[in-house]
């Protein structure tokens, strides 16, 4: 009763302020809870195809080479080599991927001229000794930019469920049933790059899996740089001829 009497004798302004403050406190306690901040560590979907974490923007270096040797076994390397994009059989690209065929024609003139390119080609033949299901791997990089141009991976049996892994990662592929031969290809496209998996019959009719990853914009950049180099060389030759007379 004493406490009740003290409250009754409080000035109305103070009593009103106490009631208002208590109401605001209750409302704030019952308000909507804030959603937790999104996990900043969550990875965003990749904008490129990858092989051992190498994507269209990965740059070749000695540390990358050492890491690949650790995973795939010892490599053999070629500098300044041919770069032929043709796959499966002659005319396949022309029939199904004319844009890739156009690039291949620039890389390998129809005149039959042997044209070597400023590239590094790494080849691995002993990946199975590292318990990997690959019979042959070839990775090609531009020596101008160190960016990847073409990845080749061959294996005879899909014992590691590679095709299903690719479907899970990239979605259902487009299918190509070869018209001229007994074979099949599936492919994905992402940011102009093309990932093709083909079942290619060998000489006995047994299918072999062949994977090709074409980093199209990087190939285009290689051709543009080579054209610029050629123009510079022609200009230097022209100037040197003028100085001779």
């Amino acid at each position: 009763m004493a406490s009740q009497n003290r409250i009754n004798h409080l000035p109305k302004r103070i009593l009103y302020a106490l009631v208002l403050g208590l109401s605001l406190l209750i409302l704030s306690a019952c308000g909507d809870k804030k959603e937790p901040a999104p996990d900043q560590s969550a990875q965003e979907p990749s904008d490129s195809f990858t092989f051992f974490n190498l994507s269209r923007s990965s740059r070749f270096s000695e540390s990358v080479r050492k890491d690949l040797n650790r995973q795939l076994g010892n490599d053999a390397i070629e500098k300044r080599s041919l770069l032929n994009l043709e796959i499966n059989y002659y005319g396949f690209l022309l029939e199904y991927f004319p844009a890739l065929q156009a690039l291949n024609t620039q890389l390998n003139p129809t005149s039959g001229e042997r044209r070597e390119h400023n590239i590094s080609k790494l080849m691995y033949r002993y990946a199975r000794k590292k318990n990997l299901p690959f019979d042959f791997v070839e990775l090609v990089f531009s020596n101008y930019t160190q960016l990847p141009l073409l990845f080749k991976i061959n294996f005879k049996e899909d014992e590691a469920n590679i095709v299903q892994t690719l479907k899970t990662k990239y979605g259902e592929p487009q299918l190509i049933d070869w018209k001229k031969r007994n074979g099949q290809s599936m492919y994905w496209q992402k940011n102009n790059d093309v990932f093709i998996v083909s079942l290619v019959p060998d000489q006995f009719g047994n299918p072999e899996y062949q994977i090709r990853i074409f980093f199209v914009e990087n190939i285009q950049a290689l051709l543009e740089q080579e054209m610029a180099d050629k123009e510079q060389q022609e200009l230097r030759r022209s100037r040197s001829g003028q100085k001779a007379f």
Side-chain angles (χ1 to χ4, degrees), residues 69-98:
N69 285 347
R70 179 180 59 80
Q71 298 179 87
L72 291 166
N74 292 334
D75 63 27
I77 187 168
E78 284 184 10
K79 298 287 184 107
R80 293 208 62 86
S81 180
L82 299 176
L83 180 55
N84 193 336
L85 307 184
E86 191 65 80
I87 60 173
N88 300 335
Y89 58 85
Y90 180 77
F92 177 86
L93 289 182
L94 180 61
E95 186 171 5
Y96 298 108
F97 297 93

PDB file of all heavy atoms in Angstrom, residues 69-98:
ATOM      1  N   ASN A  69      52.573 -30.856 -61.485  1.00  0.00           N
ATOM      2  CA  ASN A  69      53.421 -32.052 -61.440  1.00  0.00           C
ATOM      3  C   ASN A  69      53.145 -32.879 -60.195  1.00  0.00           C
ATOM      4  O   ASN A  69      53.187 -34.121 -60.230  1.00  0.00           O
ATOM      5  CB  ASN A  69      54.895 -31.643 -61.472  1.00  0.00           C
ATOM      6  CG  ASN A  69      55.350 -31.197 -62.851  1.00  0.00           C
ATOM      7  OD1 ASN A  69      54.652 -31.414 -63.835  1.00  0.00           O
ATOM      8  ND2 ASN A  69      56.503 -30.574 -62.932  1.00  0.00           N
ATOM      9  N   ARG A  70      52.859 -32.197 -59.113  1.00  0.00           N
ATOM     10  CA  ARG A  70      52.554 -32.917 -57.872  1.00  0.00           C
ATOM     11  C   ARG A  70      51.256 -33.711 -58.017  1.00  0.00           C
ATOM     12  O   ARG A  70      51.142 -34.824 -57.500  1.00  0.00           O
ATOM     13  CB  ARG A  70      52.449 -31.921 -56.718  1.00  0.00           C
ATOM     14  CG  ARG A  70      52.101 -32.557 -55.367  1.00  0.00           C
ATOM     15  CD  ARG A  70      52.024 -31.494 -54.292  1.00  0.00           C
ATOM     16  NE  ARG A  70      51.036 -30.479 -54.596  1.00  0.00           N
ATOM     17  CZ  ARG A  70      49.734 -30.635 -54.383  1.00  0.00           C
ATOM     18  NH1 ARG A  70      49.259 -31.786 -53.886  1.00  0.00           N
ATOM     19  NH2 ARG A  70      48.890 -29.667 -54.665  1.00  0.00           N
ATOM     20  N   GLN A  71      50.303 -33.169 -58.749  1.00  0.00           N
ATOM     21  CA  GLN A  71      48.995 -33.815 -58.874  1.00  0.00           C
ATOM     22  C   GLN A  71      48.913 -34.785 -60.049  1.00  0.00           C
ATOM     23  O   GLN A  71      48.236 -35.819 -59.943  1.00  0.00           O
ATOM     24  CB  GLN A  71      47.914 -32.738 -59.017  1.00  0.00           C
ATOM     25  CG  GLN A  71      47.810 -31.814 -57.822  1.00  0.00           C
ATOM     26  CD  GLN A  71      46.756 -30.748 -58.002  1.00  0.00           C
ATOM     27  OE1 GLN A  71      45.574 -30.961 -57.691  1.00  0.00           O
ATOM     28  NE2 GLN A  71      47.141 -29.598 -58.508  1.00  0.00           N
ATOM     29  N   LEU A  72      49.585 -34.449 -61.167  1.00  0.00           N
ATOM     30  CA  LEU A  72      49.443 -35.233 -62.399  1.00  0.00           C
ATOM     31  C   LEU A  72      50.675 -36.048 -62.761  1.00  0.00           C
ATOM     32  O   LEU A  72      50.637 -36.835 -63.703  1.00  0.00           O
ATOM     33  CB  LEU A  72      49.113 -34.296 -63.575  1.00  0.00           C
ATOM     34  CG  LEU A  72      47.739 -33.641 -63.547  1.00  0.00           C
ATOM     35  CD1 LEU A  72      47.675 -32.502 -64.567  1.00  0.00           C
ATOM     36  CD2 LEU A  72      46.645 -34.664 -63.837  1.00  0.00           C
ATOM     37  N   GLY A  73      51.767 -35.856 -62.038  1.00  0.00           N
ATOM     38  CA  GLY A  73      53.012 -36.528 -62.392  1.00  0.00           C
ATOM     39  C   GLY A  73      53.877 -35.615 -63.253  1.00  0.00           C
ATOM     40  O   GLY A  73      53.506 -34.493 -63.583  1.00  0.00           O
ATOM     41  N   ASN A  74      55.045 -36.110 -63.612  1.00  0.00           N
ATOM     42  CA  ASN A  74      55.981 -35.312 -64.394  1.00  0.00           C
ATOM     43  C   ASN A  74      55.404 -34.958 -65.763  1.00  0.00           C
ATOM     44  O   ASN A  74      54.698 -35.746 -66.374  1.00  0.00           O
ATOM     45  CB  ASN A  74      57.302 -36.048 -64.562  1.00  0.00           C
ATOM     46  CG  ASN A  74      58.047 -36.184 -63.248  1.00  0.00           C
ATOM     47  OD1 ASN A  74      57.866 -35.374 -62.341  1.00  0.00           O
ATOM     48  ND2 ASN A  74      58.874 -37.213 -63.130  1.00  0.00           N
ATOM     49  N   ASP A  75      55.765 -33.777 -66.252  1.00  0.00           N
ATOM     50  CA  ASP A  75      55.256 -33.313 -67.536  1.00  0.00           C
ATOM     51  C   ASP A  75      56.342 -33.341 -68.598  1.00  0.00           C
ATOM     52  O   ASP A  75      57.525 -33.493 -68.309  1.00  0.00           O
ATOM     53  CB  ASP A  75      54.681 -31.896 -67.411  1.00  0.00           C
ATOM     54  CG  ASP A  75      55.748 -30.870 -67.024  1.00  0.00           C
ATOM     55  OD1 ASP A  75      56.932 -31.063 -67.325  1.00  0.00           O
ATOM     56  OD2 ASP A  75      55.396 -29.851 -66.400  1.00  0.00           O
ATOM     57  N   ALA A  76      55.913 -33.220 -69.832  1.00  0.00           N
ATOM     58  CA  ALA A  76      56.792 -32.888 -70.954  1.00  0.00           C
ATOM     59  C   ALA A  76      56.295 -31.557 -71.473  1.00  0.00           C
ATOM     60  O   ALA A  76      55.084 -31.333 -71.557  1.00  0.00           O
ATOM     61  CB  ALA A  76      56.716 -33.948 -72.044  1.00  0.00           C
ATOM     62  N   ILE A  77      57.218 -30.643 -71.798  1.00  0.00           N
ATOM     63  CA  ILE A  77      56.807 -29.303 -72.189  1.00  0.00           C
ATOM     64  C   ILE A  77      57.353 -28.950 -73.562  1.00  0.00           C
ATOM     65  O   ILE A  77      58.480 -29.318 -73.906  1.00  0.00           O
ATOM     66  CB  ILE A  77      57.256 -28.264 -71.135  1.00  0.00           C
ATOM     67  CG1 ILE A  77      56.673 -26.879 -71.453  1.00  0.00           C
ATOM     68  CG2 ILE A  77      58.771 -28.202 -71.029  1.00  0.00           C
ATOM     69  CD1 ILE A  77      56.816 -25.880 -70.325  1.00  0.00           C
ATOM     70  N   GLU A  78      56.528 -28.299 -74.352  1.00  0.00           N
ATOM     71  CA  GLU A  78      56.913 -27.791 -75.668  1.00  0.00           C
ATOM     72  C   GLU A  78      56.709 -26.283 -75.687  1.00  0.00           C
ATOM     73  O   GLU A  78      55.683 -25.786 -75.222  1.00  0.00           O
ATOM     74  CB  GLU A  78      56.065 -28.413 -76.785  1.00  0.00           C
ATOM     75  CG  GLU A  78      56.428 -29.833 -77.143  1.00  0.00           C
ATOM     76  CD  GLU A  78      55.610 -30.336 -78.330  1.00  0.00           C
ATOM     77  OE1 GLU A  78      54.913 -29.504 -78.962  1.00  0.00           O
ATOM     78  OE2 GLU A  78      55.658 -31.529 -78.615  1.00  0.00           O
ATOM     79  N   LYS A  79      57.676 -25.568 -76.253  1.00  0.00           N
ATOM     80  CA  LYS A  79      57.551 -24.122 -76.463  1.00  0.00           C
ATOM     81  C   LYS A  79      57.465 -23.869 -77.957  1.00  0.00           C
ATOM     82  O   LYS A  79      58.091 -24.544 -78.751  1.00  0.00           O
ATOM     83  CB  LYS A  79      58.758 -23.395 -75.877  1.00  0.00           C
ATOM     84  CG  LYS A  79      58.926 -23.555 -74.370  1.00  0.00           C
ATOM     85  CD  LYS A  79      57.884 -22.742 -73.625  1.00  0.00           C
ATOM     86  CE  LYS A  79      58.123 -22.832 -72.127  1.00  0.00           C
ATOM     87  NZ  LYS A  79      58.651 -21.621 -71.562  1.00  0.00           N
ATOM     88  N   ARG A  80      56.673 -22.883 -78.352  1.00  0.00           N
ATOM     89  CA  ARG A  80      56.440 -22.568 -79.761  1.00  0.00           C
ATOM     90  C   ARG A  80      56.051 -23.837 -80.516  1.00  0.00           C
ATOM     91  O   ARG A  80      56.889 -24.574 -81.013  1.00  0.00           O
ATOM     92  CB  ARG A  80      57.661 -21.915 -80.405  1.00  0.00           C
ATOM     93  CG  ARG A  80      57.978 -20.539 -79.874  1.00  0.00           C
ATOM     94  CD  ARG A  80      58.683 -19.690 -80.899  1.00  0.00           C
ATOM     95  NE  ARG A  80      57.859 -19.460 -82.091  1.00  0.00           N
ATOM     96  CZ  ARG A  80      56.949 -18.480 -82.212  1.00  0.00           C
ATOM     97  NH1 ARG A  80      56.742 -17.650 -81.216  1.00  0.00           N
ATOM     98  NH2 ARG A  80      56.255 -18.336 -83.331  1.00  0.00           N
ATOM     99  N   SER A  81      54.789 -24.072 -80.586  1.00  0.00           N
ATOM    100  CA  SER A  81      54.283 -25.326 -81.152  1.00  0.00           C
ATOM    101  C   SER A  81      53.024 -25.048 -81.968  1.00  0.00           C
ATOM    102  O   SER A  81      52.477 -23.945 -81.966  1.00  0.00           O
ATOM    103  CB  SER A  81      53.984 -26.317 -80.019  1.00  0.00           C
ATOM    104  OG  SER A  81      53.486 -27.531 -80.519  1.00  0.00           O
ATOM    105  N   LEU A  82      52.572 -26.076 -82.669  1.00  0.00           N
ATOM    106  CA  LEU A  82      51.300 -26.000 -83.379  1.00  0.00           C
ATOM    107  C   LEU A  82      50.155 -25.953 -82.370  1.00  0.00           C
ATOM    108  O   LEU A  82      50.268 -26.460 -81.248  1.00  0.00           O
ATOM    109  CB  LEU A  82      51.124 -27.214 -84.292  1.00  0.00           C
ATOM    110  CG  LEU A  82      52.159 -27.415 -85.396  1.00  0.00           C
ATOM    111  CD1 LEU A  82      51.884 -28.715 -86.126  1.00  0.00           C
ATOM    112  CD2 LEU A  82      52.148 -26.241 -86.376  1.00  0.00           C
ATOM    113  N   LEU A  83      49.045 -25.367 -82.807  1.00  0.00           N
ATOM    114  CA  LEU A  83      47.847 -25.351 -81.971  1.00  0.00           C
ATOM    115  C   LEU A  83      46.652 -25.672 -82.863  1.00  0.00           C
ATOM    116  O   LEU A  83      46.116 -24.812 -83.564  1.00  0.00           O
ATOM    117  CB  LEU A  83      47.663 -23.983 -81.308  1.00  0.00           C
ATOM    118  CG  LEU A  83      46.428 -23.831 -80.402  1.00  0.00           C
ATOM    119  CD1 LEU A  83      46.408 -24.909 -79.324  1.00  0.00           C
ATOM    120  CD2 LEU A  83      46.386 -22.436 -79.785  1.00  0.00           C
ATOM    121  N   ASN A  84      46.272 -26.948 -82.849  1.00  0.00           N
ATOM    122  CA  ASN A  84      45.175 -27.424 -83.697  1.00  0.00           C
ATOM    123  C   ASN A  84      43.954 -27.686 -82.824  1.00  0.00           C
ATOM    124  O   ASN A  84      44.007 -28.486 -81.883  1.00  0.00           O
ATOM    125  CB  ASN A  84      45.591 -28.704 -84.424  1.00  0.00           C
ATOM    126  CG  ASN A  84      44.633 -29.068 -85.541  1.00  0.00           C
ATOM    127  OD1 ASN A  84      43.455 -28.676 -85.519  1.00  0.00           O
ATOM    128  ND2 ASN A  84      45.102 -29.810 -86.527  1.00  0.00           N
ATOM    129  N   LEU A  85      42.863 -27.020 -83.134  1.00  0.00           N
ATOM    130  CA  LEU A  85      41.641 -27.155 -82.338  1.00  0.00           C
ATOM    131  C   LEU A  85      40.745 -28.292 -82.794  1.00  0.00           C
ATOM    132  O   LEU A  85      39.777 -28.628 -82.107  1.00  0.00           O
ATOM    133  CB  LEU A  85      40.842 -25.846 -82.394  1.00  0.00           C
ATOM    134  CG  LEU A  85      41.568 -24.555 -82.019  1.00  0.00           C
ATOM    135  CD1 LEU A  85      40.581 -23.391 -82.032  1.00  0.00           C
ATOM    136  CD2 LEU A  85      42.265 -24.658 -80.680  1.00  0.00           C
ATOM    137  N   GLU A  86      41.020 -28.891 -83.944  1.00  0.00           N
ATOM    138  CA  GLU A  86      40.140 -29.916 -84.515  1.00  0.00           C
ATOM    139  C   GLU A  86      39.987 -31.088 -83.557  1.00  0.00           C
ATOM    140  O   GLU A  86      40.939 -31.521 -82.900  1.00  0.00           O
ATOM    141  CB  GLU A  86      40.698 -30.410 -85.846  1.00  0.00           C
ATOM    142  CG  GLU A  86      39.716 -31.269 -86.633  1.00  0.00           C
ATOM    143  CD  GLU A  86      38.479 -30.512 -87.087  1.00  0.00           C
ATOM    144  OE1 GLU A  86      38.553 -29.793 -88.092  1.00  0.00           O
ATOM    145  OE2 GLU A  86      37.441 -30.642 -86.404  1.00  0.00           O
ATOM    146  N   ILE A  87      38.767 -31.625 -83.473  1.00  0.00           N
ATOM    147  CA  ILE A  87      38.492 -32.765 -82.589  1.00  0.00           C
ATOM    148  C   ILE A  87      37.619 -33.782 -83.314  1.00  0.00           C
ATOM    149  O   ILE A  87      36.948 -33.483 -84.301  1.00  0.00           O
ATOM    150  CB  ILE A  87      37.790 -32.330 -81.276  1.00  0.00           C
ATOM    151  CG1 ILE A  87      36.452 -31.650 -81.590  1.00  0.00           C
ATOM    152  CG2 ILE A  87      38.678 -31.411 -80.473  1.00  0.00           C
ATOM    153  CD1 ILE A  87      35.625 -31.354 -80.357  1.00  0.00           C
ATOM    154  N   ASN A  88      37.654 -34.999 -82.797  1.00  0.00           N
ATOM    155  CA  ASN A  88      36.782 -36.111 -83.202  1.00  0.00           C
ATOM    156  C   ASN A  88      37.047 -36.595 -84.625  1.00  0.00           C
ATOM    157  O   ASN A  88      37.460 -37.720 -84.828  1.00  0.00           O
ATOM    158  CB  ASN A  88      35.304 -35.733 -83.043  1.00  0.00           C
ATOM    159  CG  ASN A  88      34.959 -35.387 -81.602  1.00  0.00           C
ATOM    160  OD1 ASN A  88      35.621 -35.846 -80.680  1.00  0.00           O
ATOM    161  ND2 ASN A  88      33.956 -34.577 -81.406  1.00  0.00           N
ATOM    162  N   TYR A  89      36.793 -35.786 -85.630  1.00  0.00           N
ATOM    163  CA  TYR A  89      37.100 -36.150 -87.013  1.00  0.00           C
ATOM    164  C   TYR A  89      37.157 -34.860 -87.828  1.00  0.00           C
ATOM    165  O   TYR A  89      36.620 -33.813 -87.420  1.00  0.00           O
ATOM    166  CB  TYR A  89      36.055 -37.112 -87.590  1.00  0.00           C
ATOM    167  CG  TYR A  89      34.636 -36.596 -87.571  1.00  0.00           C
ATOM    168  CD1 TYR A  89      34.153 -35.787 -88.606  1.00  0.00           C
ATOM    169  CD2 TYR A  89      33.763 -36.921 -86.529  1.00  0.00           C
ATOM    170  CE1 TYR A  89      32.851 -35.319 -88.598  1.00  0.00           C
ATOM    171  CE2 TYR A  89      32.460 -36.448 -86.510  1.00  0.00           C
ATOM    172  CZ  TYR A  89      32.014 -35.663 -87.547  1.00  0.00           C
ATOM    173  OH  TYR A  89      30.733 -35.187 -87.529  1.00  0.00           O
ATOM    174  N   TYR A  90      37.811 -34.933 -88.943  1.00  0.00           N
ATOM    175  CA  TYR A  90      37.964 -33.745 -89.780  1.00  0.00           C
ATOM    176  C   TYR A  90      36.597 -33.243 -90.247  1.00  0.00           C
ATOM    177  O   TYR A  90      35.799 -33.999 -90.805  1.00  0.00           O
ATOM    178  CB  TYR A  90      38.832 -34.054 -91.008  1.00  0.00           C
ATOM    179  CG  TYR A  90      39.038 -32.868 -91.914  1.00  0.00           C
ATOM    180  CD1 TYR A  90      39.934 -31.861 -91.569  1.00  0.00           C
ATOM    181  CD2 TYR A  90      38.301 -32.740 -93.093  1.00  0.00           C
ATOM    182  CE1 TYR A  90      40.112 -30.758 -92.397  1.00  0.00           C
ATOM    183  CE2 TYR A  90      38.468 -31.641 -93.919  1.00  0.00           C
ATOM    184  CZ  TYR A  90      39.365 -30.653 -93.558  1.00  0.00           C
ATOM    185  OH  TYR A  90      39.533 -29.558 -94.369  1.00  0.00           O
ATOM    186  N   GLY A  91      36.308 -31.995 -89.961  1.00  0.00           N
ATOM    187  CA  GLY A  91      35.039 -31.402 -90.337  1.00  0.00           C
ATOM    188  C   GLY A  91      34.038 -31.305 -89.203  1.00  0.00           C
ATOM    189  O   GLY A  91      32.969 -30.698 -89.369  1.00  0.00           O
ATOM    190  N   PHE A  92      34.357 -31.872 -88.036  1.00  0.00           N
ATOM    191  CA  PHE A  92      33.421 -31.831 -86.907  1.00  0.00           C
ATOM    192  C   PHE A  92      33.169 -30.391 -86.470  1.00  0.00           C
ATOM    193  O   PHE A  92      32.010 -29.981 -86.288  1.00  0.00           O
ATOM    194  CB  PHE A  92      33.960 -32.649 -85.742  1.00  0.00           C
ATOM    195  CG  PHE A  92      33.094 -32.609 -84.515  1.00  0.00           C
ATOM    196  CD1 PHE A  92      32.036 -33.490 -84.371  1.00  0.00           C
ATOM    197  CD2 PHE A  92      33.331 -31.693 -83.499  1.00  0.00           C
ATOM    198  CE1 PHE A  92      31.223 -33.450 -83.238  1.00  0.00           C
ATOM    199  CE2 PHE A  92      32.529 -31.643 -82.363  1.00  0.00           C
ATOM    200  CZ  PHE A  92      31.470 -32.525 -82.239  1.00  0.00           C
ATOM    201  N   LEU A  93      34.231 -29.622 -86.299  1.00  0.00           N
ATOM    202  CA  LEU A  93      34.051 -28.240 -85.863  1.00  0.00           C
ATOM    203  C   LEU A  93      33.286 -27.436 -86.899  1.00  0.00           C
ATOM    204  O   LEU A  93      32.423 -26.615 -86.555  1.00  0.00           O
ATOM    205  CB  LEU A  93      35.411 -27.584 -85.598  1.00  0.00           C
ATOM    206  CG  LEU A  93      36.184 -28.056 -84.361  1.00  0.00           C
ATOM    207  CD1 LEU A  93      37.474 -27.263 -84.217  1.00  0.00           C
ATOM    208  CD2 LEU A  93      35.344 -27.948 -83.093  1.00  0.00           C
ATOM    209  N   LEU A  94      33.593 -27.635 -88.154  1.00  0.00           N
ATOM    210  CA  LEU A  94      32.900 -26.907 -89.212  1.00  0.00           C
ATOM    211  C   LEU A  94      31.405 -27.183 -89.178  1.00  0.00           C
ATOM    212  O   LEU A  94      30.587 -26.284 -89.399  1.00  0.00           O
ATOM    213  CB  LEU A  94      33.480 -27.293 -90.571  1.00  0.00           C
ATOM    214  CG  LEU A  94      32.854 -26.617 -91.791  1.00  0.00           C
ATOM    215  CD1 LEU A  94      33.035 -25.110 -91.722  1.00  0.00           C
ATOM    216  CD2 LEU A  94      33.445 -27.185 -93.071  1.00  0.00           C
ATOM    217  N   GLU A  95      31.038 -28.411 -88.868  1.00  0.00           N
ATOM    218  CA  GLU A  95      29.627 -28.802 -88.875  1.00  0.00           C
ATOM    219  C   GLU A  95      28.878 -28.322 -87.635  1.00  0.00           C
ATOM    220  O   GLU A  95      27.728 -27.866 -87.742  1.00  0.00           O
ATOM    221  CB  GLU A  95      29.509 -30.327 -88.987  1.00  0.00           C
ATOM    222  CG  GLU A  95      28.088 -30.832 -89.136  1.00  0.00           C
ATOM    223  CD  GLU A  95      28.038 -32.315 -89.452  1.00  0.00           C
ATOM    224  OE1 GLU A  95      29.109 -32.971 -89.471  1.00  0.00           O
ATOM    225  OE2 GLU A  95      26.920 -32.819 -89.688  1.00  0.00           O
ATOM    226  N   TYR A  96      29.529 -28.409 -86.470  1.00  0.00           N
ATOM    227  CA  TYR A  96      28.813 -28.154 -85.225  1.00  0.00           C
ATOM    228  C   TYR A  96      29.269 -26.889 -84.481  1.00  0.00           C
ATOM    229  O   TYR A  96      28.499 -26.325 -83.703  1.00  0.00           O
ATOM    230  CB  TYR A  96      28.949 -29.361 -84.291  1.00  0.00           C
ATOM    231  CG  TYR A  96      28.344 -30.623 -84.847  1.00  0.00           C
ATOM    232  CD1 TYR A  96      29.152 -31.664 -85.300  1.00  0.00           C
ATOM    233  CD2 TYR A  96      26.959 -30.767 -84.940  1.00  0.00           C
ATOM    234  CE1 TYR A  96      28.599 -32.827 -85.819  1.00  0.00           C
ATOM    235  CE2 TYR A  96      26.398 -31.928 -85.459  1.00  0.00           C
ATOM    236  CZ  TYR A  96      27.220 -32.949 -85.890  1.00  0.00           C
ATOM    237  OH  TYR A  96      26.672 -34.098 -86.414  1.00  0.00           O
ATOM    238  N   PHE A  97      30.508 -26.460 -84.687  1.00  0.00           N
ATOM    239  CA  PHE A  97      31.036 -25.296 -83.986  1.00  0.00           C
ATOM    240  C   PHE A  97      31.797 -24.400 -84.977  1.00  0.00           C
ATOM    241  O   PHE A  97      33.025 -24.301 -84.932  1.00  0.00           O
ATOM    242  CB  PHE A  97      31.965 -25.728 -82.843  1.00  0.00           C
ATOM    243  CG  PHE A  97      31.286 -26.532 -81.769  1.00  0.00           C
ATOM    244  CD1 PHE A  97      31.281 -27.920 -81.827  1.00  0.00           C
ATOM    245  CD2 PHE A  97      30.637 -25.903 -80.719  1.00  0.00           C
ATOM    246  CE1 PHE A  97      30.658 -28.675 -80.849  1.00  0.00           C
ATOM    247  CE2 PHE A  97      29.996 -26.636 -79.734  1.00  0.00           C
ATOM    248  CZ  PHE A  97      30.010 -28.024 -79.790  1.00  0.00           C
ATOM    249  N   PRO A  98      31.080 -23.752 -85.881  1.00  0.00           N
ATOM    250  CA  PRO A  98      31.748 -22.963 -86.931  1.00  0.00           C
ATOM    251  C   PRO A  98      32.622 -21.835 -86.375  1.00  0.00           C
ATOM    252  O   PRO A  98      33.610 -21.457 -87.011  1.00  0.00           O
ATOM    253  CB  PRO A  98      30.581 -22.425 -87.762  1.00  0.00           C
ATOM    254  CG  PRO A  98      29.371 -22.571 -86.893  1.00  0.00           C
ATOM    255  CD  PRO A  98      29.619 -23.743 -86.024  1.00  0.00           C
TER     256      PRO A  98
END
